[in-house]
Amino acid sequence: QVQLVESGGGLVQPGGSLRLSCAASGIAFSLYNMGWYRQAPGKERELVAAINSGGSTDYGDLVKGRFSISRDNAKNTVYLQMNSLKPEDTADYYCNAYAGRVWNYWGQGTQVTVSS
């Protein structure tokens, strides 16, 4: 039984910061690549950030320089630090775990709203 549970979402003002967490269970966490995706109403799901099992990171163009992904293998948790938030960052944020082409899991999502 695999479970990914996101937390840390909420309401924040433009220019503010927020840190999302995703706690994983039921997988060999340290062997998995992890990612954050987001989806706003009427929009396609897009990559926010990813970190592979070796610690290499990748970011979507819209968040480069503002967001940072990290992982703590001892806690089976991946984080997304979001700084300089903009209203267009408002979306549901989803945690993803993947290994190869067969193993792929998603969390339930957490809402982030950026508004003054």
Side-chain angles (χ1 to χ4, degrees), residues 48-83:
V48 177
I51 182 167
N52 71 13
S53 59
S56 296
T57 59
D58 190 31
Y59 296 92
D61 289 340
L62 296 176
V63 308
K64 286 179 180 176
R66 299 188 296 122
F67 291 9
S68 179
I69 189 170
S70 61
R71 65 192 296 161
D72 186 339
N73 288 342
K75 295 182 177 179
N76 285 6
T77 301
V78 63
Y79 304 95
L80 183 68
Q81 179 66 47
M82 304 185 293
N83 300 321

Short mmCIF file of all heavy atoms in Angstrom, two decimals, residues 48-83:
data_model
loop_
_atom_site.label_atom_id
_atom_site.label_comp_id
_atom_site.label_asym_id
_atom_site.label_seq_id
_atom_site.Cartn_x
_atom_site.Cartn_y
_atom_site.Cartn_z
N VAL A 48 6.44 21.33 -11.65
CA VAL A 48 6.98 22.42 -10.84
C VAL A 48 8.45 22.17 -10.55
O VAL A 48 9.30 23.03 -10.82
CB VAL A 48 6.20 22.57 -9.52
CG1 VAL A 48 6.80 23.66 -8.65
CG2 VAL A 48 4.73 22.86 -9.81
N ALA A 49 8.76 21.01 -10.01
CA ALA A 49 10.13 20.67 -9.66
C ALA A 49 10.25 19.17 -9.51
O ALA A 49 9.27 18.48 -9.21
CB ALA A 49 10.56 21.36 -8.36
N ALA A 50 11.45 18.65 -9.73
CA ALA A 50 11.72 17.23 -9.55
C ALA A 50 13.09 17.04 -8.95
O ALA A 50 13.99 17.86 -9.16
CB ALA A 50 11.62 16.48 -10.88
N ILE A 51 13.25 15.97 -8.19
CA ILE A 51 14.54 15.61 -7.63
C ILE A 51 14.68 14.10 -7.74
O ILE A 51 13.81 13.35 -7.33
CB ILE A 51 14.67 16.11 -6.17
CG1 ILE A 51 16.05 15.77 -5.60
CG2 ILE A 51 13.55 15.56 -5.29
CD1 ILE A 51 16.36 16.50 -4.29
N ASN A 52 15.79 13.65 -8.33
CA ASN A 52 15.94 12.22 -8.52
C ASN A 52 16.58 11.57 -7.29
O ASN A 52 16.88 12.22 -6.29
CB ASN A 52 16.69 11.91 -9.82
CG ASN A 52 18.17 12.28 -9.77
OD1 ASN A 52 18.74 12.56 -8.73
ND2 ASN A 52 18.79 12.24 -10.96
N SER A 53 16.74 10.25 -7.38
CA SER A 53 17.24 9.51 -6.23
C SER A 53 18.66 9.91 -5.84
O SER A 53 19.07 9.71 -4.70
CB SER A 53 17.19 8.00 -6.50
OG SER A 53 17.96 7.66 -7.63
N GLY A 54 19.41 10.49 -6.78
CA GLY A 54 20.75 10.96 -6.50
C GLY A 54 20.83 12.39 -6.03
O GLY A 54 21.92 12.86 -5.70
N GLY A 55 19.70 13.10 -6.03
CA GLY A 55 19.67 14.46 -5.55
C GLY A 55 19.71 15.54 -6.62
O GLY A 55 19.66 16.73 -6.29
N SER A 56 19.80 15.15 -7.89
CA SER A 56 19.78 16.14 -8.96
C SER A 56 18.38 16.72 -9.11
O SER A 56 17.39 16.01 -9.00
CB SER A 56 20.21 15.51 -10.28
OG SER A 56 21.56 15.08 -10.21
N THR A 57 18.30 18.01 -9.40
CA THR A 57 17.02 18.72 -9.45
C THR A 57 16.74 19.28 -10.83
O THR A 57 17.65 19.52 -11.64
CB THR A 57 16.98 19.86 -8.42
OG1 THR A 57 18.04 20.78 -8.69
CG2 THR A 57 17.13 19.31 -7.01
N ASP A 58 15.46 19.51 -11.08
CA ASP A 58 14.99 20.13 -12.31
C ASP A 58 13.77 20.96 -11.96
O ASP A 58 13.00 20.58 -11.07
CB ASP A 58 14.64 19.07 -13.35
CG ASP A 58 14.38 19.66 -14.73
OD1 ASP A 58 14.99 20.68 -15.06
OD2 ASP A 58 13.56 19.08 -15.47
N TYR A 59 13.59 22.10 -12.65
CA TYR A 59 12.51 23.02 -12.35
C TYR A 59 11.78 23.44 -13.60
O TYR A 59 12.37 23.57 -14.67
CB TYR A 59 13.03 24.27 -11.64
CG TYR A 59 13.64 23.98 -10.30
CD1 TYR A 59 15.00 23.73 -10.17
CD2 TYR A 59 12.84 23.94 -9.15
CE1 TYR A 59 15.55 23.45 -8.93
CE2 TYR A 59 13.39 23.66 -7.92
CZ TYR A 59 14.74 23.42 -7.81
OH TYR A 59 15.29 23.14 -6.57
N GLY A 60 10.48 23.67 -13.45
CA GLY A 60 9.72 24.26 -14.52
C GLY A 60 10.13 25.71 -14.74
O GLY A 60 10.57 26.40 -13.81
N ASP A 61 9.99 26.17 -15.97
CA ASP A 61 10.46 27.51 -16.32
C ASP A 61 9.80 28.61 -15.49
O ASP A 61 10.44 29.62 -15.18
CB ASP A 61 10.22 27.78 -17.80
CG ASP A 61 11.12 26.98 -18.71
OD1 ASP A 61 12.18 26.51 -18.24
OD2 ASP A 61 10.78 26.84 -19.89
N LEU A 62 8.56 28.43 -15.13
CA LEU A 62 7.82 29.47 -14.43
C LEU A 62 8.22 29.64 -12.97
O LEU A 62 7.87 30.65 -12.36
CB LEU A 62 6.31 29.20 -14.51
CG LEU A 62 5.70 29.24 -15.91
CD1 LEU A 62 4.23 28.87 -15.86
CD2 LEU A 62 5.88 30.61 -16.54
N VAL A 63 8.95 28.68 -12.42
CA VAL A 63 9.31 28.75 -11.00
C VAL A 63 10.81 28.81 -10.77
O VAL A 63 11.23 28.95 -9.61
CB VAL A 63 8.72 27.57 -10.21
CG1 VAL A 63 7.21 27.45 -10.46
CG2 VAL A 63 9.43 26.26 -10.55
N LYS A 64 11.61 28.75 -11.81
CA LYS A 64 13.05 28.80 -11.65
C LYS A 64 13.48 30.07 -10.94
O LYS A 64 13.05 31.16 -11.27
CB LYS A 64 13.75 28.70 -13.01
CG LYS A 64 13.72 27.32 -13.62
CD LYS A 64 14.41 27.28 -14.97
CE LYS A 64 14.38 25.89 -15.57
NZ LYS A 64 14.96 25.85 -16.93
N GLY A 65 14.34 29.89 -9.95
CA GLY A 65 14.83 31.01 -9.17
C GLY A 65 13.97 31.37 -7.99
O GLY A 65 14.39 32.16 -7.14
N ARG A 66 12.76 30.82 -7.91
CA ARG A 66 11.86 31.12 -6.82
C ARG A 66 11.57 29.92 -5.93
O ARG A 66 11.38 30.09 -4.72
CB ARG A 66 10.53 31.67 -7.35
CG ARG A 66 10.67 32.96 -8.14
CD ARG A 66 9.31 33.56 -8.47
NE ARG A 66 8.52 32.69 -9.34
CZ ARG A 66 7.31 32.21 -9.05
NH1 ARG A 66 6.74 32.52 -7.88
NH2 ARG A 66 6.66 31.44 -9.91
N PHE A 67 11.51 28.73 -6.53
CA PHE A 67 11.17 27.52 -5.78
C PHE A 67 12.40 26.64 -5.64
O PHE A 67 13.31 26.67 -6.48
CB PHE A 67 10.08 26.72 -6.50
CG PHE A 67 8.72 27.36 -6.53
CD1 PHE A 67 8.50 28.65 -6.10
CD2 PHE A 67 7.63 26.63 -6.99
CE1 PHE A 67 7.24 29.23 -6.13
CE2 PHE A 67 6.37 27.19 -7.02
CZ PHE A 67 6.17 28.49 -6.60
N SER A 68 12.41 25.81 -4.60
CA SER A 68 13.49 24.88 -4.38
C SER A 68 12.95 23.55 -3.85
O SER A 68 12.18 23.55 -2.89
CB SER A 68 14.51 25.46 -3.39
OG SER A 68 15.56 24.56 -3.14
N ILE A 69 13.34 22.45 -4.47
CA ILE A 69 12.92 21.13 -4.04
C ILE A 69 14.06 20.46 -3.28
O ILE A 69 15.23 20.64 -3.62
CB ILE A 69 12.47 20.26 -5.24
CG1 ILE A 69 11.82 18.96 -4.77
CG2 ILE A 69 13.62 19.99 -6.19
CD1 ILE A 69 11.15 18.17 -5.89
N SER A 70 13.71 19.72 -2.24
CA SER A 70 14.70 18.99 -1.46
C SER A 70 14.07 17.72 -0.92
O SER A 70 12.84 17.56 -0.96
CB SER A 70 15.26 19.85 -0.33
OG SER A 70 14.24 20.23 0.58
N ARG A 71 14.90 16.81 -0.44
CA ARG A 71 14.37 15.57 0.12
C ARG A 71 15.16 15.18 1.36
O ARG A 71 16.35 15.49 1.49
CB ARG A 71 14.40 14.44 -0.91
CG ARG A 71 15.79 14.01 -1.35
CD ARG A 71 15.72 13.10 -2.58
NE ARG A 71 15.03 11.85 -2.28
CZ ARG A 71 14.51 11.05 -3.21
NH1 ARG A 71 14.57 11.39 -4.50
NH2 ARG A 71 13.91 9.92 -2.86
N ASP A 72 14.47 14.51 2.27
CA ASP A 72 15.07 13.96 3.48
C ASP A 72 14.74 12.48 3.49
O ASP A 72 13.64 12.08 3.87
CB ASP A 72 14.53 14.67 4.72
CG ASP A 72 15.24 14.25 5.99
OD1 ASP A 72 15.85 13.16 6.02
OD2 ASP A 72 15.17 15.01 6.98
N ASN A 73 15.69 11.67 3.06
CA ASN A 73 15.44 10.23 2.95
C ASN A 73 15.20 9.57 4.30
O ASN A 73 14.48 8.58 4.39
CB ASN A 73 16.59 9.55 2.23
CG ASN A 73 16.64 9.88 0.75
OD1 ASN A 73 15.65 10.35 0.18
ND2 ASN A 73 17.78 9.64 0.12
N ALA A 74 15.79 10.11 5.36
CA ALA A 74 15.57 9.56 6.69
C ALA A 74 14.13 9.74 7.15
O ALA A 74 13.64 8.96 7.97
CB ALA A 74 16.53 10.20 7.70
N LYS A 75 13.46 10.76 6.62
CA LYS A 75 12.07 11.03 6.97
C LYS A 75 11.09 10.63 5.88
O LYS A 75 9.88 10.86 6.02
CB LYS A 75 11.88 12.51 7.29
CG LYS A 75 12.63 12.97 8.52
CD LYS A 75 12.36 14.44 8.81
CE LYS A 75 13.05 14.88 10.08
NZ LYS A 75 12.81 16.32 10.36
N ASN A 76 11.58 10.05 4.79
CA ASN A 76 10.73 9.68 3.65
C ASN A 76 9.87 10.86 3.20
O ASN A 76 8.68 10.72 2.92
CB ASN A 76 9.84 8.49 4.00
CG ASN A 76 10.59 7.17 4.04
OD1 ASN A 76 11.81 7.13 3.92
ND2 ASN A 76 9.86 6.08 4.22
N THR A 77 10.49 12.02 3.11
CA THR A 77 9.75 13.25 2.83
C THR A 77 10.47 14.09 1.79
O THR A 77 11.70 14.21 1.81
CB THR A 77 9.56 14.07 4.12
OG1 THR A 77 8.84 13.28 5.08
CG2 THR A 77 8.78 15.34 3.84
N VAL A 78 9.68 14.65 0.88
CA VAL A 78 10.18 15.61 -0.09
C VAL A 78 9.50 16.95 0.19
O VAL A 78 8.33 17.00 0.58
CB VAL A 78 9.94 15.14 -1.54
CG1 VAL A 78 8.45 15.00 -1.85
CG2 VAL A 78 10.62 16.06 -2.54
N TYR A 79 10.25 18.05 -0.01
CA TYR A 79 9.77 19.38 0.29
C TYR A 79 9.79 20.26 -0.95
O TYR A 79 10.57 20.05 -1.86
CB TYR A 79 10.64 20.04 1.36
CG TYR A 79 10.76 19.26 2.64
CD1 TYR A 79 11.83 18.40 2.86
CD2 TYR A 79 9.79 19.37 3.63
CE1 TYR A 79 11.94 17.68 4.03
CE2 TYR A 79 9.90 18.64 4.80
CZ TYR A 79 10.98 17.80 5.00
OH TYR A 79 11.08 17.09 6.17
N LEU A 80 8.94 21.26 -0.94
CA LEU A 80 8.98 22.30 -1.95
C LEU A 80 8.93 23.65 -1.24
O LEU A 80 7.89 24.02 -0.68
CB LEU A 80 7.81 22.17 -2.93
CG LEU A 80 7.80 23.20 -4.06
CD1 LEU A 80 8.96 22.95 -5.02
CD2 LEU A 80 6.48 23.16 -4.82
N GLN A 81 10.05 24.35 -1.25
CA GLN A 81 10.11 25.70 -0.69
C GLN A 81 9.73 26.68 -1.78
O GLN A 81 10.37 26.73 -2.83
CB GLN A 81 11.51 26.01 -0.17
CG GLN A 81 11.66 27.41 0.39
CD GLN A 81 10.85 27.63 1.65
OE1 GLN A 81 10.87 26.80 2.55
NE2 GLN A 81 10.13 28.75 1.70
N MET A 82 8.69 27.46 -1.54
CA MET A 82 8.17 28.40 -2.52
C MET A 82 8.35 29.82 -2.00
O MET A 82 7.79 30.18 -0.96
CB MET A 82 6.70 28.12 -2.82
CG MET A 82 6.43 26.70 -3.28
SD MET A 82 4.70 26.42 -3.75
CE MET A 82 3.91 26.61 -2.14
N ASN A 83 9.13 30.62 -2.71
CA ASN A 83 9.38 32.00 -2.35
C ASN A 83 8.88 32.93 -3.45
O ASN A 83 8.64 32.51 -4.57
CB ASN A 83 10.87 32.23 -2.12
CG ASN A 83 11.45 31.39 -1.02
OD1 ASN A 83 10.81 31.17 0.02
ND2 ASN A 83 12.67 30.91 -1.21
#
